[in-house]
Amino acid sequence: MKLIIHGGFFSESQTNQEIKKAKQEALAEIVKLGYKHLQSHTAVETVVYTVSLLEDCDLFNAGTGSQIQSDGRIRLSASLMDGKTMRFSGVINIEEVKNPICIAEKLLGYDDRVLSGKGAQNFARENGFDYYNPETPQRRKEYEQKLSDSIRLGTVGCVALDILGNLAAATSTGGKGFEIPGRVSDSATTAGNYANAFGAISCTGVGEDIVSGAVASSIVIRVTDGMPLGLAVEKTLNELKPFEGFAGVVGISARGELYHADTHPYMVWASFDDKIEVFS
Ligand code: ASP
C-alpha cells in the first residue's frame, strides 16, 4: 500500500515560513489520515476521501478556499480515475458545491461521466449535494486587491496503490486564478489525472502546458510499456522544456515505485510509504 498527495505550487511557501509550516503540517496530517483509510478501503475510495480532505483545507486552491475567477465567481473542477476499471469521471467548472471530487465519484457509475457547468450543478443537486459557498474572506481580499498578476497555484491531488494492487488518481482545483470564465483546467482531463493497471498520476501547474504535454497519460503509457516511473516522469517533463511548460506530478506504479517531480520550484507534497515524508 502506498499513497502520495500534492497541494499544488505555491511560491509563498518559499518565503513565508508560517504558510510553509502550515502546509507541511496539513499535508502530513492528511496523508496520515489517507493512509489509514487505505488500510480498509480501495484505492478509488481512498483517493476520493483524501482529496475531499484537501478540498476542505482552505490552504489549498480546491474546494473551500479556491481562487476567485476574473468575474468574481468560483468554479471548481475535479476528476477521478480508477486504474482497475479504466473509468474516468469528472466535473468541470461547477459552482456552489463543497466537494467536487465526491460528485466525480458519483459520476463514476454513470454512462455520461464528465459534466460541466450548470449540467454538473444540476446533477449534483439531484444527487443530494447541497448549496455551498467555497469562498473564504482571504480569497476575497486577494481578489479585491487584484493579486491577479501572479498566478497562484494550489491544486490538490492524490494517488493510491491499495492492498490488492489497484491504482487510482484524483485531482481537484479552483483553476489558476483570475481566468476568463469558461476556461477549462487540466485537472478534469486525462492530461492532468490518469490511471491504469500499471501507473497513476496526478498533476498540478499551468493547465494549458499540462494539456499540451498530455502529461499524466503520457507518463502512465510509458510506465505501461515498461519504463521505470522516475524515468517516465523525467522524460515527459523534459518534453515541456521547448515551450517552458510549468508542471508538477505525483505518481505511483503497480511495481510500487513512488515519485514526485516539478519543472519549477516548487510543488508541495507528502507521501506515505512505510513512513510519512513531507516536502521541505
Ligand atoms: N492545473 C491547474 C489549472 O491550470 C492549476 C493548478 O495546478 O494549481 O487550472
Side-chain angles (χ1 to χ4, degrees):
M1 289 188 302
K2 287 175 202 294
L3 191 78
I4 185 162
I5 62 176
H6 70 76
F9 282 87
F10 194 55
S11 51
E12 276 90 336
S13 306
Q14 283 164 297
T15 49
N16 187 326
Q17 290 305 314
E18 212 176 298
I19 295 178
K20 181 175 176 178
K21 191 157 174 281
K23 289 200 170 191
Q24 285 170 326
E25 282 171 8
L27 290 173
E29 180 62 19
I30 291 172
V31 84
K32 193 168 88 192
L33 291 171
Y35 195 77
K36 195 164 165 231
H37 201 79
L38 188 57
Q39 282 160 358
S40 53
H41 294 82
T42 65
V44 180
E45 288 163 347
T46 302
V47 295
V48 170
Y49 168 73
T50 310
V51 165
S52 77
L53 296 179
L54 288 160
E55 287 177 339
D56 290 345
C57 178
D58 66 8
L59 290 168
F60 303 110
N61 175 28
T64 304
S66 285
Q67 306 281 352
I68 300 177
Q69 301 193 343
S70 60
D71 62 347
R73 301 191 73 90
I74 291 175
R75 295 178 182 82
L76 307 170
S77 299
S79 74
L80 172 65
M81 187 156 183
D82 179 353
K84 186 180 175 198
T85 60
M86 298 285 291
R87 283 167 90 91
F88 179 99
S89 61
V91 288
I92 296 173
N93 291 330
I94 188 169
E95 293 184 52
E96 296 170 341
V97 295
K98 185 164 187 273
N99 291 111
I101 196 63
C102 297
I103 303 160
E105 181 184 34
K106 187 85 202 167
L107 280 165
L108 206 58
Y110 283 74
D111 288 339
D112 300 345
R113 290 194 287 278
V114 182
L115 299 181
S116 69
K118 201 72 197 148
Q121 197 187 51
N122 291 343
F123 174 86
R125 296 288 181 260
E126 280 159 20
N127 284 281
F129 295 91
D130 293 336
Y131 170 88
Y132 179 79
N133 179 4
E135 184 180 307
T136 59
Q138 175 64 19
R139 294 287 180 252
R140 176 55 59 181
K141 206 171 107 200
E142 288 164 4
Y143 175 75
E144 275 157 12
Q145 288 170 351
K146 295 244 181 299
L147 297 178
S148 52
D149 3 21
S150 60
I151 297 174
R152 303 178 71 252
L153 310 156
T155 291
V156 303
C158 177
V159 173
L161 173 68
D162 67 24
I163 199 147
L164 298 174
N166 296 314
L167 290 155
T171 307
S172 182
T173 190
K176 65 180 180 183
F178 299 92
E179 58 264 69
I180 299 172
R183 175 209 178 239
V184 174
S185 157
D186 63 293
S187 304
T189 73
T190 54
N193 188 77
Y194 196 74
N196 68 10
F198 300 91
I201 294 288
S202 168
C203 297
T204 180
V206 174
E208 288 70 9
D209 297 347
I210 294 167
V211 167
S212 298
V215 174
S217 50
S218 296
I219 295 169
V220 171
I221 297 316
R222 285 182 162 140
V223 170
T224 305
D225 290 344
M227 197 179 275
L229 178 65
L231 200 60
V233 169
E234 296 303 336
K235 193 168 166 56
T236 307
L237 292 184
N238 255 330
E239 289 168 353
L240 307 186
K241 281 191 179 149
F243 54 93
E244 290 171 22
F246 188 122
V249 306
V250 297
I252 303 178
S253 73
R255 293 186 286 264
E257 301 155 297
L258 192 131
Y259 201 75
H260 61 86
D262 47 32
T263 58
H264 292 68
Y266 61 87
M267 178 180 67
V268 301
W269 59 272
S271 62
F272 205 129
D273 180 12
D274 301 330
K275 60 175 177 16
I276 297 179
E277 274 190 69
V278 185
F279 78 98
S280 58

